[in-house]
CSV table of all heavy atoms in Angstrom, one decimal:
chain,number,residue,atom,x,y,z
A,170,HIS,N,20.5,-5.3,3.6
A,170,HIS,CA,19.8,-5.9,2.5
A,170,HIS,C,18.3,-5.4,2.7
A,170,HIS,O,17.9,-5.3,3.8
A,170,HIS,CB,19.8,-7.4,2.8
A,170,HIS,CG,19.3,-8.3,1.6
A,170,HIS,ND1,20.0,-8.3,0.4
A,170,HIS,CD2,18.2,-9.1,1.5
A,170,HIS,CE1,19.3,-9.2,-0.4
A,170,HIS,NE2,18.3,-9.6,0.2
A,215,GLY,N,22.2,-9.7,6.2
A,215,GLY,CA,22.5,-9.2,4.9
A,215,GLY,C,22.1,-10.2,3.9
A,215,GLY,O,21.6,-11.3,4.2
A,216,GLY,N,22.4,-9.9,2.6
A,216,GLY,CA,22.0,-10.8,1.5
A,216,GLY,C,23.0,-11.0,0.5
A,216,GLY,O,24.1,-10.3,0.5
A,217,VAL,N,22.7,-11.9,-0.4
A,217,VAL,CA,23.6,-12.2,-1.5
A,217,VAL,C,23.6,-11.1,-2.6
A,217,VAL,O,24.6,-10.6,-3.1
A,217,VAL,CB,23.3,-13.6,-2.1
A,217,VAL,CG1,24.0,-13.9,-3.4
A,217,VAL,CG2,23.5,-14.7,-1.1
A,218,MET,N,22.4,-10.8,-3.0
A,218,MET,CA,22.2,-9.9,-4.1
A,218,MET,C,22.2,-8.4,-3.9
A,218,MET,O,22.1,-7.6,-4.8
A,218,MET,CB,20.8,-10.2,-4.8
A,218,MET,CG,20.6,-11.7,-5.2
A,218,MET,SD,21.8,-12.3,-6.4
A,218,MET,CE,21.1,-11.7,-7.9
A,219,SER,N,22.5,-8.0,-2.6
A,219,SER,CA,22.6,-6.6,-2.3
A,219,SER,C,24.0,-6.2,-2.2
A,219,SER,O,24.9,-7.0,-1.8
A,219,SER,CB,21.8,-6.3,-1.0
A,219,SER,OG,22.3,-7.2,0.0
A,251,HIS,N,13.8,-12.7,6.1
A,251,HIS,CA,15.0,-13.1,5.3
A,251,HIS,C,16.2,-13.3,6.2
A,251,HIS,O,16.5,-12.4,7.0
A,251,HIS,CB,15.2,-12.0,4.3
A,251,HIS,CG,16.6,-11.9,3.8
A,251,HIS,ND1,17.0,-12.3,2.5
A,251,HIS,CD2,17.8,-11.6,4.4
A,251,HIS,CE1,18.3,-12.1,2.3
A,251,HIS,NE2,18.8,-11.7,3.4
A,253,HIS,N,20.1,-15.4,6.3
A,253,HIS,CA,21.2,-16.4,5.9
A,253,HIS,C,22.0,-16.8,7.2
A,253,HIS,O,22.2,-18.0,7.5
A,253,HIS,CB,22.1,-15.9,4.9
A,253,HIS,CG,21.5,-15.6,3.6
A,253,HIS,ND1,21.1,-16.6,2.7
A,253,HIS,CD2,21.2,-14.4,2.9
A,253,HIS,CE1,20.6,-16.1,1.6
A,253,HIS,NE2,20.7,-14.8,1.7
A,271,HIS,N,15.4,-18.5,3.3
A,271,HIS,CA,16.7,-18.9,2.9
A,271,HIS,C,17.3,-19.8,4.0
A,271,HIS,O,17.7,-20.9,3.6
A,271,HIS,CB,17.7,-17.7,2.7
A,271,HIS,CG,17.1,-16.6,1.8
A,271,HIS,ND1,16.7,-16.9,0.5
A,271,HIS,CD2,16.7,-15.4,2.0
A,271,HIS,CE1,16.2,-15.8,-0.1
A,271,HIS,NE2,16.2,-14.9,0.8
A,273,SER,N,20.1,-20.2,5.3
A,273,SER,CA,21.3,-20.9,4.7
A,273,SER,C,22.2,-21.5,5.7
A,273,SER,O,22.7,-22.6,5.6
A,273,SER,CB,22.1,-19.9,3.9
A,273,SER,OG,21.2,-19.3,3.0
A,293,ASP,N,15.6,-21.9,-0.6
A,293,ASP,CA,15.6,-21.8,-2.0
A,293,ASP,C,16.9,-22.4,-2.6
A,293,ASP,O,17.8,-21.7,-3.1
A,293,ASP,CB,15.5,-20.3,-2.4
A,293,ASP,CG,16.5,-19.4,-1.7
A,293,ASP,OD1,17.1,-19.8,-0.7
A,293,ASP,OD2,16.7,-18.2,-2.1
A,296,VAL,N,18.2,-21.8,-6.7
A,296,VAL,CA,18.6,-20.5,-7.3
A,296,VAL,C,20.2,-20.3,-7.4
A,296,VAL,O,20.7,-19.7,-8.3
A,296,VAL,CB,18.0,-19.3,-6.6
A,296,VAL,CG1,18.5,-19.2,-5.1
A,296,VAL,CG2,18.1,-18.0,-7.3
A,297,SER,N,20.9,-21.0,-6.5
A,297,SER,CA,22.3,-20.9,-6.5
A,297,SER,C,22.9,-21.3,-7.8
A,297,SER,O,23.8,-20.7,-8.3
A,297,SER,CB,22.9,-21.8,-5.4
A,297,SER,OG,24.2,-21.6,-5.2
A,300,ILE,N,22.3,-18.5,-10.3
A,300,ILE,CA,23.2,-17.4,-10.1
A,300,ILE,C,24.6,-17.6,-10.6
A,300,ILE,O,25.2,-16.8,-11.3
A,300,ILE,CB,23.2,-17.0,-8.6
A,300,ILE,CG1,21.8,-16.5,-8.1
A,300,ILE,CG2,24.2,-15.9,-8.3
A,300,ILE,CD1,21.7,-16.2,-6.6
A,317,GLU,N,27.6,-15.8,-3.1
A,317,GLU,CA,26.8,-17.0,-3.4
A,317,GLU,C,27.7,-18.3,-3.4
A,317,GLU,O,27.3,-19.3,-2.9
A,317,GLU,CB,26.2,-16.9,-4.8
A,317,GLU,CG,25.3,-18.0,-5.2
A,317,GLU,CD,24.2,-18.3,-4.2
A,317,GLU,OE1,23.4,-17.3,-3.9
A,317,GLU,OE2,24.1,-19.4,-3.7
A,320,THR,N,27.6,-19.6,0.0
A,320,THR,CA,26.3,-19.8,0.6
A,320,THR,C,25.6,-21.0,0.1
A,320,THR,O,25.1,-21.8,0.8
A,320,THR,CB,25.4,-18.5,0.3
A,320,THR,OG1,26.1,-17.4,0.8
A,320,THR,CG2,24.1,-18.6,1.0
A,321,GLY,N,25.5,-21.2,-1.3
A,321,GLY,CA,24.6,-22.2,-1.9
A,321,GLY,C,24.9,-23.6,-1.4
A,321,GLY,O,23.9,-24.3,-1.0
A,324,GLN,N,23.9,-24.1,2.2
A,324,GLN,CA,22.4,-24.1,2.3
A,324,GLN,C,21.8,-25.5,2.0
A,324,GLN,O,20.9,-26.0,2.7
A,324,GLN,CB,21.9,-23.0,1.4
A,324,GLN,CG,20.4,-22.8,1.6
A,324,GLN,CD,19.8,-21.9,0.5
A,324,GLN,OE1,20.3,-21.8,-0.6
A,324,GLN,NE2,18.7,-21.2,0.9
A,343,ASP,N,12.5,-18.0,-4.7
A,343,ASP,CA,13.1,-16.7,-5.0
A,343,ASP,C,13.0,-16.4,-6.5
A,343,ASP,O,13.9,-15.7,-7.1
A,343,ASP,CB,14.5,-16.5,-4.5
A,343,ASP,CG,14.8,-15.1,-4.0
A,343,ASP,OD1,14.0,-14.2,-4.2
A,343,ASP,OD2,15.8,-14.9,-3.3
A,346,ILE,N,14.8,-13.8,-9.4
A,346,ILE,CA,16.2,-13.8,-9.7
A,346,ILE,C,16.4,-14.6,-11.0
A,346,ILE,O,17.0,-14.2,-11.9
A,346,ILE,CB,17.0,-14.5,-8.5
A,346,ILE,CG1,16.9,-13.6,-7.3
A,346,ILE,CG2,18.5,-14.7,-8.9
A,346,ILE,CD1,17.7,-14.2,-6.1
B,526,LIG,N1,17.4,-12.9,-2.3
B,526,LIG,C1,18.5,-13.7,-1.7
B,526,LIG,C2,19.6,-12.8,-1.3
B,526,LIG,O1,19.9,-11.9,-2.0
B,526,LIG,C3,18.9,-14.7,-2.7
B,526,LIG,C4,19.8,-15.8,-2.1
B,526,LIG,C5,20.2,-16.7,-3.2
B,526,LIG,N2,21.1,-17.7,-2.8
B,526,LIG,C6,20.8,-18.8,-2.2
B,526,LIG,N3,21.8,-19.7,-2.0
B,526,LIG,N4,19.7,-19.1,-1.8
B,526,LIG,O2,20.2,-13.0,-0.3
Side-chain angles (χ1 to χ4, degrees):
H170 192 68
V217 170
M218 304 298 279
S219 50
H251 155 110
H253 292 288
H271 312 298
S273 307
D293 49 345
V296 70
S297 187
I300 294 174
E317 187 54 55
T320 305
Q324 187 190 27
D343 221 346
I346 293 182

